[in-house]
Amino acid sequence: MSIFSFFRSAPRPSAVQAKERLQIVMAHERAGRAGPDYLPMLQQELLAVIAKYIDIDQNKVEVKLDRGSDCSTLELNIELPAREQLKSAMAAVRKPETKAGGDGLKAGAPLASSEDKKRH
Amino acid sequence: MSKIIVMTSGKGGVGKTTSSAAFATGLALRGFKTVVIDFDVGLRNLDLVMGCERRVVFDFINVINGEAKLSQALIKDKRIDNLYVLPTSQTRDKDALTSAGVERVLNELAKDFDYILCDSPAGIERGALMALYFADHAIIVTNPEVSSVRDSDRILGVLASRSRRAEQGLEPVTQQLLLTRYDPERVERGEMLKVDDVLEILAIPLLGVIPESQAVLRASNVGMPVILDESSNAGQAYTDAVGRFLGEDIEHRFMAPQKKGLLSRLLRRSA
């Protein structure tokens, strides 16, 4: 048994959790009721901008949303093409550049993480 | 080979979403890759019962309309491997469920999942019809109460005439009864229909009896499928029902009143 559990307050009753969950989800729904469903359009436009510069696979785009009571986070993860593919794609447009080291390095890092803050 | 199950009832409020969440979780716990889909367009609640309401980005209707990829709309459960939720839209109406669109999404899911569980809305309108149309198995959720039993009979008729299997003359949709909110004490006092009464009227095999339980409300309060509350009667009854669905021979439990001590008898009498 951890010493911290001594100080920890009693678990919140489930009804309290129910009320909090409802307040959060319903605040978002009421706020969004008037406007159009913007997420699909937002995603398409963001991807169109990125696609102007990088050749991306539409299937490797992950959009995550976490709705909180104070602010919501919109997270967009786009897997970039592997360096080899990127180079060959670029070669079609430009002259090949100097060789880049570090073969087999996968570019799977999150490209963008934007925050969408909504206050209620 | 992927199997499509519909959780349906005709009547509202009998426990379809609670049962869908519990059943899908139970199948995933058995190692089957399972997705549970909310067909109640405009009145979504499966996300709340599964506890993923804050993570909904895209939904079933976005996928049908080609506004999002299926992989973007599927929400992976944080507790159980192999378990995914496909939430529905809260803003559109049932007309968004086109037959071709639903079929395309189900076909895409069938490539990847062992079980596809369709949580039907109440009624016998478009949402309920689309939820049951492609089903291989139907679980009829019924309360031991006159209007629920009558509506279940009605939905059995719809399954037999308007499902894809019926229309194409294939082997009929298998039908099993899940009797929920069963209170053995009221049954004993003669205030509630017995399991056998309901079975006699509906004449379909019994998948399980879920006892009336306070654990169901507690679980939905915190967004946890009640099957994960292993100490509760309801949770155990769902686990049994999942086993029976998979073909195991499991004896029915929780159908007789629990034996009580003298003290609780006295307290009950004075209450």
Side-chain angles (χ1 to χ4, degrees), chain A residues 13 16 29-31 41 45-46 60-61 72 76 89 95 103:
Chain A
V16 174
E29 280 174 13
R30 286 177 181 154
M41 283 188 293
E45 287 176 28
L46 279 173
K60 291 181 177 164
V61 178
S72 303
L76 194 63
K95 277 185 185 173
D103 255 8

Side-chain angles (χ1 to χ4, degrees), chain B residues 18-58:
Chain B
T18 299
S19 299
S20 293
F23 224 81
T25 306
L27 289 168
L29 283 170
R30 292 299 199 91
F32 296 102
K33 194 167 180 192
T34 306
V35 57
V36 54
I37 310 176
D38 192 345
F39 273 77
D40 204 348
V41 183
L43 291 169
R44 80 167 172 227
N45 276 317
L46 181 67
D47 55 334
L48 271 173
V49 176
M50 292 292 295
C52 64
E53 75 280 359
R54 289 168 58 172
R55 295 162 61 209
V56 177
V57 186
F58 297 116

Side-chain angles (χ1 to χ4, degrees), chain B residues 128-235:
Chain B
L129 288 177
M130 280 296 110
L132 67 78
Y133 187 76
F134 298 98
D136 302 305
H137 305 281
I139 299 175
I140 315 296
V141 185
T142 308
N143 290 167
E145 181 265 329
V146 289
S147 54
S148 175
V149 176
R150 180 208 236 171
D151 289 358
S152 292
D153 192 55
R154 181 83 175 87
I155 211 79
L156 287 171
V158 173
L159 274 163
S161 61
R162 300 183 65 184
S163 61
R164 182 185 64 95
R165 283 176 172 273
E167 284 185 1
Q168 297 180 1
L170 305 169
E171 203 163 301
V173 180
T174 60
Q175 302 163 335
Q176 288 171 299
L177 176 71
L178 192 64
L179 195 60
T180 57
R181 307 201 66 168
Y182 195 71
D183 186 337
E185 287 175 13
R186 299 196 74 180
V187 170
E188 196 173 70
R189 291 202 297 273
E191 294 176 6
M192 184 179 267
L193 290 168
K194 287 189 274 237
V195 182
D196 293 341
D197 297 335
V198 181
L199 286 173
E200 189 188 321
I201 296 165
L202 293 179
I204 56 171
L206 181 64
L207 181 62
V209 176
I210 312 298
E212 174 79 53
S213 167
Q214 299 192 349
V216 173
L217 178 59
R218 279 199 304 269
S220 83
N221 277 345
V222 300
M224 175 186 89
V226 71
I227 199 168
L228 293 177
D229 183 353
E230 290 161 12
S231 65
S232 70
N233 287 355

